[in-house]
Amino acid sequence: MKQGCNKNYLRLSELAKECGEGNYFSKLLEKLHSPYMFVGEIRYIKETERQLCCLDDKAWEAFKSKVKNYATRRAPLSRYSQVIDVLNEVKGYIYLKDQGYTSVEFVPEGNGEKPDLHATGEIGEAFMEVKTIHMSDDEVKMLVNLNAPAKDVEEGIPEGLKKKLKDTVKKAKAQLSGKTGRRICYLFIKLDIGVWLDPQNYEALDKYLKTLQGKTPEIEIKCEYNPRWDRS
């Protein structure tokens, strides 16, 4: 199906047109014509377009070049998770701009450990590595199985998630090693349903992340976790 230009979603339409057959963005825009569209899906599409529009021309071209490598990759369980990873880098770009950096660039992919973003300005220099923690495989299997039993609310943070966070921060530290100025690890966490249903788990997660921050003072750890529908 050829994807036409939607005047309300110019950047998403451009991606849908340029990323090849069956890409994530064309499927996303096709949702707009579905009678079974959820409110959360519409909100997500609008917010994604808004964030893409925050990229300057140079950053937009760099982002397109990068996301094209993943736009048609769809795994049985993780689906388009690699696209979500790159889209979250846009949020990192916006954060750095909001911090006051006048120039923010996506670092080209290549050999060796590299951060995702580099920012400069009168306030100094910063490097950022953006990491996305997706739902567990068991959670995804449960969600795609309509006959699966309801998930119980979990008390506390699962050990598996703690280990994943610890390993992720360790990898980000390596990718930011040797860089001058601010070094930021920006985490985006999609919690399993049983975890985010209990508000007390957010406090437990904040406490654990502070523990990780204390053990890794050379980098800043920023985190967002949100159960919103994100097509991952």
Side-chain angles (χ1 to χ4, degrees):
M1 175 179 178
K2 289 187 176 181
Q3 183 67 51
C5 180
N6 187 314
K7 64 180 181 179
N8 295 318
Y9 303 99
L10 293 178
R11 291 211 153 171
L12 283 173
S13 294
E14 187 172 338
L15 289 168
K17 181 180 179 181
E18 295 184 11
C19 287
E21 291 295 326
N23 68 74
Y24 172 83
F25 302 102
S26 63
K27 291 181 179 296
L28 199 64
L29 291 178
E30 286 172 11
K31 280 277 187 179
L32 293 171
H33 306 291
S34 171
Y36 306 107
M37 184 82 148
F38 294 112
V39 173
E41 293 177 310
I42 298 174
R43 186 183 302 119
Y44 169 73
I45 294 172
K46 288 182 177 180
E47 179 61 13
T48 301
E49 175 70 19
R50 184 196 70 79
Q51 291 171 2
L52 292 174
C53 288
C54 291
L55 301 176
D56 62 29
D57 291 344
K58 183 177 180 180
W60 172 236
E61 292 303 319
F63 170 80
K64 285 195 299 179
S65 177
K66 184 172 186 177
V67 81
K68 285 178 182 178
N69 296 325
Y70 308 104
T72 58
R73 298 183 187 180
R74 188 181 189 281
L77 277 181
S78 60
R79 302 172 68 186
Y80 292 102
S81 61
Q82 291 177 304
V83 177
I84 301 300
D85 294 348
V86 183
L87 284 171
N88 281 339
E89 292 177 22
V90 176
K91 298 177 184 178
Y93 173 100
I94 294 171
Y95 174 80
L96 290 169
K97 280 288 188 177
D98 289 344
Q99 290 285 292
Y101 295 98
T102 52
S103 175
V104 181
E105 299 179 336
F106 291 97
V107 177
E109 293 181 303
N111 297 327
E113 301 285 2
K114 294 182 178 181
D116 293 311
L117 295 158
H118 176 221
T120 56
E122 292 184 1
I123 60 175
E125 185 177 27
F127 291 89
M128 175 184 285
E129 177 61 25
V130 179
K131 297 292 188 185
T132 304
I133 307 293
H134 297 278
M135 291 187 295
S136 66
D137 287 348
D138 288 341
E139 185 78 1
V140 176
K141 291 177 182 177
M142 186 273 293
L143 290 174
V144 298
N145 180 8
L146 297 180
N147 296 318
K151 193 82 177 272
D152 292 331
V153 176
E154 296 186 39
E155 294 184 8
I157 305 303
E159 291 302 314
L161 177 57
K162 288 182 179 180
K163 183 179 185 305
K164 188 179 290 186
L165 287 168
K166 182 179 178 181
D167 292 344
T168 299
V169 170
K170 182 179 179 180
K171 184 174 181 179
K173 177 183 174 182
Q175 290 171 278
L176 293 164
S177 177
K179 303 302 181 183
T180 57
R182 291 178 66 186
R183 290 174 285 176
I184 307 166
C185 172
Y186 203 152
L187 297 170
F188 291 90
I189 306 173
K190 184 69 178 291
L191 296 170
D192 285 1
I193 294 174
V195 177
W196 67 256
L197 281 175
D198 186 348
Q200 294 185 32
N201 288 336
Y202 293 104
E203 297 179 14
L205 182 56
D206 285 339
K207 184 176 180 180
Y208 182 71
L209 288 170
K210 287 180 180 178
T211 300
L212 288 180
Q213 178 67 86
K215 294 179 179 179
T216 321
E218 59 269 43
I219 65 174
E220 301 174 34
I221 299 176
K222 179 175 172 57
C223 176
E224 288 188 21
Y225 39 91
N226 198 323
R228 286 188 310 175
W229 182 90
D230 68 358
R231 294 288 294 172
S232 63

